[in-house]
């Protein structure tokens, strides 16, 4: 039942849009180039083949990690080939050296600037838990894990089969018990992004693009769903499109112009009236009342005024600040989320009211930027018997589904 669907957490970050990626990555400048790298990718793209393997930078939203606990039987592949005894290890960065220790032992098993390892048994995973700082709970990974020290940073790269990557992404990006056809639609979107992947490219694991949270998130049916649509991508004028999606549109999606006035660069996107997400918890307006102080801190100067809305009901232009500067509605929403909390206006179909006591009331419907596929809508369509093809056609009527080689 759609009524039972719940999001584990809100995810409102924009996906796959260079301008928005810069905005939301303000505090993580190291990632900006990475994000832009995706878009610098090959305008000369000329084929729909998906990669067999991809590389993903893990914990990309937590650049300060200097030590990990590693759980599981592991096999070193670099700098030496060796299967290690035991199933609990720690890896610390000291200067530019990485030191691998067993359990709580003080003895160093190996020192190197670069270490690669994988689970000793095929089909097993290794659990990685950041120790210093303990920023996030442990996550499980299959494939090859390469730890590298350089410039005071400890980075972890996961080389993983592309199909497994897609299965983990669609599992990470959807709530439990998500309908199968909605999962397949998600898989096609992720594959459309992978169609631009070149050997050596580095993907990330955060919501700046798509979340890849490891095998503990893997849904039991995800691998089968990926197999059924493997190789299929959404294309426009024979090129794979950059996929956009969001949690819930609140009644109407928006075209690409909402994300920054560059609608011409995203002609495959359409503004769609969507009633399939009506059971989403974000259909009812989220109403927040903010104190005058906190609102003024985020938006000093004159009270923001929406001067233009798009066909989806989202503010396109907002005039605000000391100089009554006009910014895009999308920039406004990002700033509000970053400075006042994403729960204040989870959706972008928003309006502002100044109350008599000076407080500010923010009302919004939906969750996320509202462009592209509406995830709750896709689940609603699937629960009514629609297929992933129907779902993709509904949200991306201008794009085509390329046939791959599912097996
Ligand atoms: Zn919707």
């Amino acid at each position: 039942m759609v009524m039972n669907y719940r999001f584990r957490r809100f995810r409102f970050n924009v996906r796959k849009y260079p301008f928005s990626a810069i905005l939301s990555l303000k505090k993580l400048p190291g990632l900006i180039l990475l994000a832009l790298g995706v878009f610098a990718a090959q305008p000369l793209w000329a084929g729909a083949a998906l990669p067999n393997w991809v590389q993903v930078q893990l914990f990309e939203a937590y650049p300060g990690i200097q030590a990990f606990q590693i759980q599981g039987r592991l096999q070193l592949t670099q700098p030496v080939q060796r299967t290690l005894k035991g199933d609990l290890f720690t890896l610390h960065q000291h200067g530019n050296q990485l030191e691998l220790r067993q359990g709580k032992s003080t003895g160093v098993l190996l020192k190197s600037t670069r270490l690669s390892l994988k689970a000793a048994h095929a089909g097993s995973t290794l659990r990685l838990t950041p120790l210093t700082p303990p920023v996030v709970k442990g996550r499980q990974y299959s494939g090859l894990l390469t730890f590298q020290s350089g410039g005071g940073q400890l980075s972890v790269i996961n080389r993983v089969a592309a199909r497994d990557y897609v299965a983990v992404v669609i599992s990470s990006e959807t709530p439990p018990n998500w309908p199968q056809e909605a999962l397949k639609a998600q898989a096609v979107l992720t594959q459309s992004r992978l169609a631009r992947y070149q050997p050596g490219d580095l993907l990330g694991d955060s919501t700046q693009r798509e979340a890849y949270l490891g095998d503990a998130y893997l849904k039991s049916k995800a691998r089968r769903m990926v197999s059924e649509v493997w190789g299929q991508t959404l294309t426009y004028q024979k090129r794979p499109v950059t996929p956009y999606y969001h949690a819930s549109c609140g009644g109407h999606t928006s075209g690409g112009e909402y994300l920054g006035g560059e609608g011409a660069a995203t002609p495959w996107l359409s503004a769609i009236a969507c009633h399939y997400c009506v059971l989403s918890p974000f259909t009812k307006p989220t109403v927040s009342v903010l104190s005058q102080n906190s609102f003024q801190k985020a938006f000093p100067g004159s009270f923001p005024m929406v001067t233009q809305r798009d066909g989806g009901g989202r503010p396109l232009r907002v005039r605000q600040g000391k100089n009554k500067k006009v910014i895009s509605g999308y920039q406004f929403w990002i700033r509000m989320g970053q400075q006042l909390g994403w729960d204040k206006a989870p959706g972008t179909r928003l309006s502002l009211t100044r109350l008599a006591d000076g407080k500010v009331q923010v009302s919004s419907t939906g969750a996320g930027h509202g462009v592209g596929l509406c995830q709750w809508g896709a689940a609603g369509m699937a629960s009514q018997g629609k297929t992933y093809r129907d779902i993709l056609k509904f949200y991306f009527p201008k794009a085509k589904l390329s046939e791959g080689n599912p097996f």
Side-chain angles (χ1 to χ4, degrees):
M1 287 293 289
V2 173
M3 282 295 280
N4 291 331
Y5 301 147
R6 291 285 183 275
F7 274 113
R8 282 187 300 268
R9 58 203 176 282
F10 289 167
R11 29 180 84 266
F12 307 127
N13 283 331
V14 286
R15 295 185 165 86
K16 298 149 296 285
Y17 196 74
F19 182 60
S20 55
I22 289 171
L23 280 172
S24 49
L25 280 170
K26 254 190 337 199
K27 292 176 186 166
L28 299 171
L31 298 179
I32 292 173
L33 287 177
L34 200 65
L36 287 174
V38 171
F39 296 92
Q42 348 80 46
L44 296 175
W45 180 88
L50 296 179
N52 290 325
W53 298 89
V54 293
Q55 296 189 110
V56 191
Q57 180 171 11
L58 303 181
F59 303 100
E60 71 166 345
Y62 310 99
I65 299 171
Q66 294 201 308
F68 285 97
Q69 182 186 72
I70 307 169
Q71 283 170 279
R73 295 296 308 279
L74 65 85
Q75 184 185 353
L76 282 170
T77 63
Q78 196 189 21
V80 290
Q81 292 260 10
R82 192 190 303 165
T83 301
L84 299 180
K85 288 181 181 167
D87 55 8
L88 186 64
F89 302 86
T90 55
L91 186 128
H92 284 260
Q93 177 183 249
H94 290 293
N96 269 341
Q97 288 288 313
L98 300 175
E99 295 179 358
L100 184 68
R101 290 181 170 81
Q102 190 154 34
K104 291 176 181 170
S105 147
T106 51
V108 176
L109 284 175
L110 196 73
K111 266 190 190 184
S112 178
T113 55
R114 187 180 166 97
L115 281 172
S116 293
L117 47 87
K118 60 183 183 180
H121 303 295
S124 301
T125 58
L126 294 174
R127 185 176 183 83
L128 283 189
T129 308
L131 293 176
T132 54
V135 285
V136 63
K137 283 183 185 168
R139 294 178 182 168
Q140 284 172 235
Y141 297 99
S142 55
L144 187 71
L145 294 164
T146 296
F147 298 83
Q148 183 146 7
S149 175
Q153 293 279 326
L154 168 56
S155 64
V156 196
I157 310 294
N158 184 201
R159 183 175 186 270
V160 61
R163 287 170 193 242
D164 291 342
Y165 168 79
V166 176
V168 172
V169 166
I170 64 173
S171 301
S172 305
E173 290 283 357
T174 53
N177 304 317
W178 213 234
Q180 296 191 7
E181 294 300 314
L183 283 177
K184 285 194 221 171
Q186 289 275 159
V188 172
L189 295 185
T190 302
Q191 288 168 190
S192 306
R193 183 165 59 86
L194 286 193
R196 293 169 179 270
Y197 186 88
Q198 295 285 296
D201 286 352
L202 196 54
L203 304 172
D205 67 348
S206 76
T207 54
Q208 299 308 333
R209 277 162 289 188
E210 289 185 284
Y212 170 75
L213 301 177
D215 285 40
Y217 283 77
L218 194 59
K219 292 178 167 70
S220 57
K221 57 195 172 190
R223 281 203 171 99
R224 184 160 56 84
M225 296 303 102
V226 172
S227 285
E228 289 183 15
V229 298
W230 180 250
Q232 296 183 35
T233 55
L234 269 187
T235 63
Y236 180 75
Q237 294 180 344
K238 298 186 178 175
R239 290 175 180 232
V241 305
T242 305
Y244 291 85
Y245 58 88
H246 56 277
S248 173
C249 74
H252 210 296
T253 70
S254 281
E257 63 177 343
Y258 174 71
L259 293 175
E262 297 180 13
T266 52
W268 61 87
L269 291 168
S270 308
I272 305 288
C274 164
H275 57 274
Y276 291 107
C277 56
V278 68
L279 293 179
S280 141
F282 305 104
T283 297
K284 204 172 132 218
T286 301
V287 180
S288 310
V289 176
L290 304 165
S291 73
Q292 192 171 7
N293 264 355
S294 59
F295 192 81
Q296 275 284 326
K297 235 182 193 173
F299 298 100
S302 67
F303 189 71
M305 180 183 281
V306 175
T307 58
Q308 191 185 354
R309 287 184 185 268
D310 70 3
R314 293 177 175 81
L316 267 187
R317 308 263 175 270
V318 180
R319 195 166 61 209
Q320 55 91 48
K322 285 171 188 153
N323 304 319
K324 298 197 172 177
K325 193 180 161 196
V326 175
I327 61 173
S328 76
Y330 179 62
Q331 282 176 291
F332 179 82
W333 178 69
I334 293 279
R335 193 190 299 178
M336 191 156 69
Q338 287 177 335
Q339 305 209 5
L340 298 168
W342 293 103
D343 57 327
K344 304 299 184 299
T348 45
R349 297 180 91 198
L350 62 88
S351 60
L352 300 169
T353 312
R354 188 154 44 177
L355 304 176
D357 58 3
K359 289 179 180 168
V360 177
Q361 179 177 292
V362 185
S363 175
S364 82
T365 56
H369 53 57
V371 174
L373 179 139
C374 164
Q375 289 181 295
W376 272 89
M381 289 183 78
S383 70
Q384 292 180 24
K386 308 277 197 234
T387 68
Y388 75 98
R389 289 171 186 273
D390 299 329
I391 293 169
L392 293 170
K393 199 172 177 184
F394 179 73
Y395 290 107
F396 302 97
K398 294 179 192 165
K400 280 191 172 167
L401 184 65
S402 79
E403 294 302 327
N405 301 302
F407 66 93

